[in-house]
Amino acid sequence: MELLIQQLVSGVATGGIYACMALSIVMIYQAIHHLNFAQGEMAMFSTFIAWQLLQWGLPYWIVIPLTVAISFSGGIAIERIVIGPLGEAAVLSHAVVFIGLYAVINSLASFIWDFTTRPFPSPFGAGSQFGNLISNQQIGMIAVTLLVLALLYAFFRYTRVGLAMRAAAENPTSARLAGIRVGLMAALGWGMAAAVGSIAGVLIAPIVFLEPNMMLSILLYGFAGAVLGGLSNPAGAVAGGFAVGVIENLAGTYVPVIGSELKLPIALLLIVIVLVFRPTGLFGRTIVQRV
Amino acid sequence: MTALLNVTKLSASYGDFRVLHGIDLTVERGGVTALLGANGAGKTTTLRALCGMIKHSGDVVFDGVDIARCATEDIARLGIAHVPEGRGTFIALTVEENLRCGAMTRKGRASIDDDIERAYHWFPRLKERCGQQAGTLSGGEQQMLAVARALMLRPKLMLLDEPSFGLAPIIVSELFSILRKVNEQEGVGMLIVEQNAALALELARQAFLIETGRILISGSVTEIRDNESIRAAYLGY
């Protein structure tokens, strides 16, 4: 029983990482209706920026807002320079550009900061709670993820800009006819996704350590969480992220064949199962259209 | 006093394929102009060109401003509300969110809330469904939503693309009586594209008949109605 509780808690804790990532994936999906493969690398790059700022001796409470601001501008720049000109090109064109971005950002980070694995200081200190069951870092990460989720929810649900962004993503033509600046909304969506990604990166880095490939498997788990919870629903994606963490941990502990080596395929298996049996995800809304 | 919308020598093409060959048309202030013609004559293309949705050339002057080279969103901001072919519903948003999208160019929460109430007054059915996802509405309700959304812009000019398309006759007459009220009570100018010529001519004061991208005949509705040969050949009633 104790083992089960321990595995559940540690599953939720790892799930917090995936939930962070899933949230930033869904965020950008809401704004542009594409899955951005470079999302993880954007988050990694932001985390390196935060690390660099810390190295230069800036305090944490300046580094975080500065990193978020830099990432926000970076996201907008990527949209303006690379994605915007694509316009309404086919899905595959977007996929190719995302893969290109992935490679460019990954190489750029390796070029600037090389492949050395670096520790990243936790903003929440080193202690742990509940008799070493869960670290302060993990608790902080989960709390911040839920907070960001609540803020995003309020933004999209209750503000005019949030509504304009949803309208622009869903039906760009109609949005333009209503006077909404669709290009600006897409840029804003990229900026926000990059900002959320930078928060995810800074939260995750103390656990997985900082290096250019840190996000590779996390992105996969994040996709699994987002797909499981539903791409149309940020809260669902966060729940999905936690679920993936728990499932992965329990399967690794209780199914002897799986062990820790075969954990990653579980994420992939989850994606396949969900897409076959419930393509909108557990909490996704089915968008009904009568004709 | 100049017309609300003055179009001269408007040409437009899809890729290399030219659809409009220099058409002229006008909408008077507070007036209703009908653009009639068969399938493929270029009616929808005309509306799209006016809103800068496709490549076009020629002069388009709206309310004294040259809008021929403006972006679609800027044209909307000047006060032209386009109710597009296919209704353009934001299907994942609720009915009320759809209406709020229509008012995106405006400031002042209170006046927008008032206008939502006004829209519900025109279209009580939308009020019953205000929290419902717009994609679940019937075709007629979505058409009403499209018109209501356009009104949220507080437009000076509405471009209506086949508002009767696919609707039951009773809904059509309801919709057209509302359009007439909007025009008469609020002085909103309208350019209406219809295949149902009889219907459009009841509402309009001026009509333009378009065939393969050229204006064939134009004049007041009475002139067009009274011309037996036009009626028989082009309007089919």
Side-chain angles (χ1 to χ4, degrees):
Chain A
M1 191 60 201
E2 203 183 320
L3 179 68
L4 177 66
I5 291 173
Q6 200 161 16
Q7 287 306 321
L8 276 177
V9 172
S10 108
V12 168
T14 343
I17 304 179
Y18 308 152
C20 259
M21 203 61 221
L23 182 58
S24 68
I25 290 166
V26 167
M27 169 74 230
I28 207 160
Y29 184 79
Q30 294 257 311
I32 60 172
H33 275 209
H34 287 292
L35 278 180
N36 176 14
F37 302 130
Q39 184 68 32
E41 302 312 285
M42 285 161 58
M44 174 274 294
F45 202 86
S46 299
T47 315
F48 264 109
I49 292 174
W51 177 83
Q52 190 65 68
L53 294 173
L54 285 171
Q55 288 297 302
W56 286 337
L58 293 173
Y60 233 117
W61 60 272
I62 292 181
V63 167
I64 301 290
L66 200 56
T67 305
V68 169
I70 294 172
S71 306
F72 183 79
S73 327
I76 287 182
I78 289 179
E79 200 281 337
R80 292 281 88 166
I81 297 165
V82 186
I83 310 296
L86 272 182
E88 277 155 35
V91 178
L92 276 180
S93 315
H94 278 95
V96 168
V97 169
F98 292 153
I99 292 170
L101 267 179
Y102 176 103
V104 168
I105 297 173
N106 187 287
S107 317
L108 200 59
S110 327
F111 176 73
I112 303 175
W113 291 289
D114 73 53
F115 283 104
T116 320
T117 303
R118 298 179 168 88
F120 192 93
S122 166
F124 306 104
S128 62
Q129 303 295 324
F130 310 113
N132 273 345
L133 208 53
I134 186 165
S135 71
N136 285 353
Q137 161 66 25
Q138 287 168 327
I139 294 174
M141 183 176 69
I142 292 168
V144 172
T145 303
L146 295 177
L147 177 71
V148 171
L149 173 68
L151 287 176
L152 284 179
Y153 177 82
F155 173 77
F156 278 113
R157 180 79 178 70
Y158 297 111
T159 71
R160 262 161 77 97
V161 182
L163 178 60
M165 283 174 72
R166 282 191 288 154
E170 191 207 302
N171 192 336
T173 310
S174 268
R176 274 192 198 98
L177 289 177
I180 296 170
R181 301 196 187 282
V182 172
L184 184 67
M185 294 303 136
L188 211 53
W190 272 83
M192 285 176 60
V196 172
S198 74
I199 295 172
V202 169
L203 292 172
I204 294 168
I207 300 172
V208 301
F209 298 110
L210 184 61
E211 55 108 5
N213 293 321
M214 64 184 269
M215 288 295 182
L216 187 63
S217 63
I218 291 171
L219 185 69
L220 275 179
Y221 286 118
F223 272 134
V227 169
L228 179 65
L231 284 169
S232 58
N233 183 346
V238 168
F242 281 117
V244 169
V246 171
I247 293 169
E248 172 208 42
N249 239 324
L250 292 183
T253 312
Y254 290 101
V255 185
V257 216
I258 292 177
S260 57
E261 294 82 9
L262 282 179
K263 274 182 174 178
L264 193 56
I266 292 188
L268 300 172
L269 190 66
L270 265 177
I271 295 182
V272 173
I273 291 173
V274 172
L275 288 182
V276 169
F277 291 104
R278 205 179 149 84
T280 53
L282 292 181
F283 309 101
R285 280 186 307 161
T286 314
I287 304 302
V288 185
Q289 183 176 25
R290 282 168 66 157
V291 281
Chain B
M1 194 150 165
T2 55
L4 179 61
L5 180 75
N6 224 322
V7 179
T8 24
K9 296 204 183 319
L10 181 69
S11 297
S13 41
Y14 292 108
D16 288 339
F17 185 67
R18 204 147 192 231
V19 182
L20 296 181
H21 308 274
I23 66 167
D24 298 347
L25 63 87
T26 52
V27 180
E28 299 301 326
R29 277 169 205 281
V32 180
T33 295
L35 185 58
L36 308 172
N39 273 338
K43 306 185 296 290
T44 295
T45 307
T46 305
L47 296 193
R48 288 200 179 139
L50 291 179
C51 283
M53 296 164 78
I54 51 168
K55 250 191 168 165
H56 62 279
S57 61
D59 287 332
V60 183
V61 179
F62 170 69
D63 207 13
V65 183
D66 180 10
I67 59 166
R69 264 154 293 278
C70 284
T72 305
E73 44 267 55
D74 294 321
I75 292 172
R77 278 162 191 273
L78 286 172
I80 298 185
H82 186 158
V83 179
E85 190 183 35
R87 302 168 192 133
T89 314
F90 298 105
I91 56 168
L93 308 186
T94 66
V95 169
E96 184 162 329
E97 284 172 339
N98 265 271
L99 293 177
R100 288 194 185 280
C101 282
M104 212 47 99
T105 58
R106 295 169 48 194
K107 290 191 170 67
R109 196 175 170 101
S111 76
I112 292 172
D113 287 346
D114 286 350
D115 277 11
I116 285 178
E117 282 313 310
R118 185 179 68 129
Y120 289 154
H121 166 75
W122 290 121
F123 304 99
R125 197 121 32 129
L126 296 181
K127 183 167 193 168
E128 292 165 27
R129 305 189 183 282
C130 64
Q132 201 169 318
Q133 191 201 311
T136 62
L137 299 185
S138 74
E141 289 163 345
Q142 284 194 35
Q143 187 67 59
M144 291 180 183
L145 180 59
V147 172
R149 199 179 65 226
L151 285 173
M152 290 299 295
L153 188 80
R154 283 269 170 182
K156 294 177 195 151
L157 174 67
M158 284 176 92
L159 308 180
L160 296 142
D161 198 344
E162 303 245 7
S164 76
F165 184 79
L167 303 185
I170 180 146
I171 310 264
V172 171
S173 65
E174 194 183 332
L175 185 66
F176 271 73
S177 79
I178 291 170
L179 288 177
R180 179 188 298 278
K181 281 187 209 152
V182 167
N183 170 252
E184 286 170 358
Q185 294 174 13
E186 309 194 2
V188 177
M190 295 178 181
L191 175 57
I192 179 165
V193 155
E194 262 294 343
Q195 285 202 51
N196 186 337
L199 197 62
L201 290 178
E202 263 175 49
L203 187 65
R205 265 150 271 170
Q206 251 192 316
F208 292 78
L209 184 64
I210 186 172
E211 194 182 57
T212 55
R214 289 181 180 83
I215 296 289
L216 210 61
I217 303 151
S218 64
S220 77
V221 162
T222 25
E223 280 167 19
I224 298 232
R225 255 210 213 114
D226 294 345
N227 189 324
E228 276 304 324
S229 57
I230 296 174
R231 263 177 68 160
Y234 298 107
L235 305 181
Y237 77 99

